[in-house]
Amino acid sequence: MRRILVLGARGYLGAPVAARLAAEPDVTVLYGGRGGPREGARGAQGARGGRRMPDLGVDIGSVPVDVLAAALAGLRPDAVVNCAGLASGPASALAAVNARGAAALCEAVAAGVPAARLVQLGSAGEYGPGVPGTPLRESAPARPAGVYGATKLAGTLAVAGSGLDAVVLRVFNPVGAGAPLSGLPGRLAAAFRAAPPGAPVRTGDLGAYRDFVDVADVADAVALAVAAPGPLPPVLNIGSGEPTLVRDLAGRLAGIAGFTGRIEESGTGSERSAAVSWTAADISLAASALGWRPTRTLDDALRSLYEATAPTAGARV
């Protein structure tokens, strides 16, 4: 049995990654997080009810390297998948988890389980502005437009320079069940569900282009990266390979939700949307290195997102 540790296993990406790996017949998934019981944990034999404590209850943004290394040595994972990360918050918190956390994890893996493969989830935010019509390759310059992208890039550099058997999966814009309200698809789904009949939903500008990828396809890519014979390229893009106008995403999600009101745009939208108006991934390297290509459509991802969205108050996005 392969033992695979998933850090951030309760998160938006970590949960589907852990479930996907747990579905493999020869895998035991070890769950990592900041402690506390996790609902409905899944093991190698499938779903299990009840509550379960994490196998590794740490916050990689603050845990001492020697403590983490000792814990890893005790768990003896064959691979470590780092899904832990922050997408929003103060700069100090983003740096602690995305940059310091990735660097500390590399040092701990090297000390505790040096033969383990490390799979790190990166972000398209590391690239910064793209050139309209030109998909971003892994060799493109990294020019992050904000603190989030800069801290994720710092994590990528730590992994790439660690000397470990490691790969960074640079995930573009993931969409699916559990999407957080900090991202536009999650906020839109909640607003469409909560809006009274005929009431508008107000947003910022929706004129940017993004590369949206189903979280289930991201989980498939992780499973392939864990199992692929090495060495792997240091960075692999994980996206759909197609730019989508965010306004079109909003309209498609409205159709799935049965929302018939107006979507009213005002202002400039998010700071990142203003700074990065177009982005799309070149995913050919992931196809050749992993045999991976996305198999779900954007409508599949949006449907999963909406069906999993609990009713909530408020319609301003």
Side-chain angles (χ1 to χ4, degrees):
M1 295 288 287
R2 291 180 294 153
R3 294 167 60 84
I4 303 173
L5 172 64
V6 180
L7 295 172
R10 289 188 289 188
Y12 173 39
L13 293 179
V17 164
R20 171 63 178 81
L21 291 169
E24 296 288 322
D26 64 338
V27 165
T28 294
V29 173
L30 306 170
Y31 294 87
R34 285 179 288 179
R38 196 178 67 84
E39 295 285 355
R42 289 176 58 96
Q45 304 306 313
R48 297 191 304 203
R51 300 167 71 85
R52 166 179 169 166
M53 295 295 289
D55 298 283
L56 181 63
V58 299
D59 180 350
I60 65 169
S62 59
V63 64
V65 171
D66 59 339
V67 172
L68 182 55
L72 291 174
L75 289 174
R76 298 176 291 104
D78 299 292
V80 178
V81 180
N82 185 21
C83 301
L86 284 181
S88 60
S92 59
L94 292 170
V97 176
N98 298 339
R100 188 271 178 193
L105 179 61
C106 289
E107 294 175 22
V109 169
V113 282
R117 169 163 290 173
L118 174 60
V119 179
Q120 166 84 7
L121 295 194
S123 169
E126 299 170 38
Y127 285 119
V131 177
T134 303
L136 289 159
R137 304 185 67 177
E138 290 83 354
S139 58
R143 299 174 299 166
V147 174
Y148 168 70
T151 59
K152 291 298 288 185
L153 177 59
T156 290
L157 294 174
V159 173
S162 67
L164 297 167
D165 176 11
V167 62
V168 176
L169 302 184
R170 195 168 267 166
V171 179
F172 276 61
N173 292 78
V175 179
L181 297 180
S182 59
L184 180 68
R187 293 199 303 274
L188 280 173
F192 289 152
R193 186 178 290 279
V201 163
R202 298 178 176 86
T203 77
D205 180 73
L206 302 178
Y209 285 81
R210 292 288 180 266
D211 184 327
F212 296 101
V213 59
D214 195 307
V215 293
D217 282 319
V218 175
D220 285 345
V222 171
L224 289 168
V226 166
L232 292 171
V235 177
L236 294 171
N237 287 338
I238 303 299
S240 69
E242 298 291 337
T244 295
L245 181 64
V246 177
R247 189 173 296 117
D248 290 344
L249 174 140
R252 291 160 77 168
L253 182 55
I256 290 169
F259 174 76
T260 58
R262 297 185 311 279
I263 300 174
E264 298 181 351
E265 300 177 44
S266 63
T268 59
S270 70
E271 181 179 346
R272 180 167 183 263
S273 292
V276 183
S277 63
W278 193 97
T279 187
D282 181 327
I283 56 175
S284 56
L285 188 57
S288 61
L290 301 179
W292 175 88
R293 283 195 177 276
T295 62
R296 286 92 174 171
T297 67
L298 178 56
D299 284 343
D300 293 333
L302 293 174
R303 193 169 292 108
S304 296
L305 164 60
Y306 187 72
E307 290 173 354
T309 303
T312 187
R316 170 72 189 180
V317 297

